[in-house]
Amino acid sequence: MLSSEHSLAMSPDDDSLTWLPAPDFFPDCSFTILHGDMAAPNLDLFFKIEANTEVVKHTHKSAERMILMSGALEVEYEGEDPVVVKAGSYLYGPSGKPHRAKCLDKGPCVLFIALVETFDAVVVED
């Protein structure tokens, strides 16, 4: 059976993308939906973090599969040592595991993120 769904090919600098502000607890961050719906499972998006911007510690109910498209990003998952990843790196974030990030001075950092469950982000107080 032939699918009626269209294929996609996009890059973070595609002029057709609409970048939306991230929730207030992610200042200087924005996102754009590539495929899917925010309220439904199986969502793909680009998440942009401006240079020298920290993303507060938070969790998601979904595991995250990510590829850093641009920039250099320091990521730290609770109970693990921080790592610095560069463009082209793959990252996996387990569901429910608190983590934080910081886009270093070679920003902006753009992450491709694939979520299995619906999108959510819950701030974790230290």
Side-chain angles (χ1 to χ4, degrees):
M1 173 191 242
L2 184 62
S3 174
S4 62
E5 190 173 20
H6 291 276
S7 62
L8 294 172
M10 308 185 102
S11 68
D13 57 358
D14 191 315
D15 290 336
S16 70
L17 296 176
T18 301
W19 290 91
L20 304 168
D24 290 344
F25 52 84
F26 292 145
D28 296 322
C29 297
S30 56
F31 70 97
T32 186
I33 297 171
L34 302 171
H35 184 262
D37 183 288
M38 290 289 284
N42 298 316
L43 174 68
D44 296 338
L45 58 97
F46 284 143
F47 187 77
K48 185 187 296 183
I49 308 163
E50 295 302 326
N52 299 307
T53 297
E54 291 191 35
V55 175
V56 298
K57 188 187 287 187
H58 64 285
T59 63
H60 307 280
K61 64 183 165 191
S62 178
E64 297 178 292
R65 291 175 178 87
M66 302 165 276
I67 296 174
L68 185 62
M69 306 294 291
S70 65
L73 186 70
E74 180 182 87
V75 181
E76 183 178 4
Y77 281 85
E78 192 170 273
E80 300 178 27
D81 292 333
V83 296
V84 175
V85 295
K86 297 181 181 175
S89 298
Y90 170 80
L91 301 95
Y92 171 77
S95 64
K97 190 160 192 177
H99 57 285
R100 63 160 197 84
K102 180 178 181 182
C103 182
L104 304 178
D105 58 3
K106 295 183 189 220
C109 295
V110 177
L111 282 164
F112 164 79
I113 304 175
L115 298 166
V116 176
E117 302 296 330
T118 56
F119 175 81
D120 74 333
V122 179
V123 174
V124 174
E125 301 296 328
D126 282 327

